[in-house]
Amino acid sequence: MAYQHILLAIDLTEESGQVADRAVALAKQGETRLSMIHVIEPLSFAYGGDVPMDLSTIQEQLDEHAQQRLEAFADSLGVPVAQLHVVSGHTESEIHRVAKEIEADLIIVGSHGRHGLSLLLGSTANGVLHGAKCDVLAVRVQD
C-alpha cells in the first residue's frame, strides 16, 4: 500500500536537501501528498524562561525568517505553500501534532546515525519515532 500523505520534518540545514530528496522520491511513487514542517523552539526554552527582557520581537523575526526559508526550499521541490507548516514549540510534540492534524501516514526525518546505541537515531528522530501514531522513516544524512 502506498502512502497517502507524507510529512517531511526538516531543520533547514544543509543536510535537509538529502532528506527532502528521499521524501520527494517516495511521494512521486504514487498519488502522495507531501507536506513539510519546520519547528522553531521558542527562545524561552533555551533560556529556561528566565530572561529579564521581552523576546517576542526577536521570536517573530526568527519565525518570519524560517517561513521565508521554508517557502524558498519548498518552491525548489514543487511543494505548495499551503502544505508548509512553521510552528513554535517542542520539536517532537509539534511534529506529532501536525502529523495527526493533517492525517499524515508517514513522517520523514533526518538522522545523523552517529555511533553507539543511544545515538542510533539522534534525539529528535528518536523522539519522533517513539511518539508517532504513523510510520516514521529516518533518512541517514551524510555530514
Side-chain angles (χ1 to χ4, degrees):
M1 183 178 104
Y3 292 106
Q4 301 300 306
H5 196 165
I6 296 172
L7 178 61
L8 169 61
I10 61 169
D11 59 6
L12 294 172
T13 59
E14 285 183 26
E15 292 88 8
S16 294
Q18 296 173 45
V19 182
D21 289 345
R22 179 66 63 89
V24 168
L26 280 172
K28 286 182 178 177
Q29 288 180 358
E31 294 293 318
T32 307
R33 267 181 86 186
L34 178 60
S35 294
M36 298 172 67
I37 184 171
H38 175 70
V39 181
I40 302 165
E41 294 212 351
L43 291 173
S44 60
F45 284 14
Y47 296 103
D50 243 4
V51 181
M53 59 189 216
D54 183 13
L55 298 173
S56 59
T57 302
I58 296 169
Q59 188 69 57
E60 287 173 16
Q61 290 173 344
L62 288 172
D63 294 352
E64 287 174 23
H65 181 68
Q67 182 72 38
Q68 291 168 354
R69 289 187 59 210
L70 184 61
E71 286 179 14
F73 186 72
D75 186 55
S76 72
L77 300 172
V79 177
V81 172
Q83 291 169 213
L84 305 181
H85 306 270
V86 175
V87 296
S88 291
H90 186 262
T91 303
E92 293 88 348
S93 300
E94 291 302 311
I95 291 171
H96 294 149
R97 181 186 65 76
V98 170
K100 181 178 178 181
E101 181 180 295
I102 67 171
E103 299 178 352
D105 51 358
L106 175 65
I107 299 170
I108 298 180
V109 294
S111 171
H112 288 277
R114 309 260 191 250
H115 58 284
L117 186 59
S118 65
L119 298 175
L120 180 64
L121 291 175
S123 60
T124 300
N126 194 33
V128 171
L129 174 67
H130 284 91
K133 304 292 185 213
C134 63
D135 290 351
V136 176
L137 173 61
V139 176
R140 187 176 203 143
V141 295
Q142 305 301 316
D143 294 327

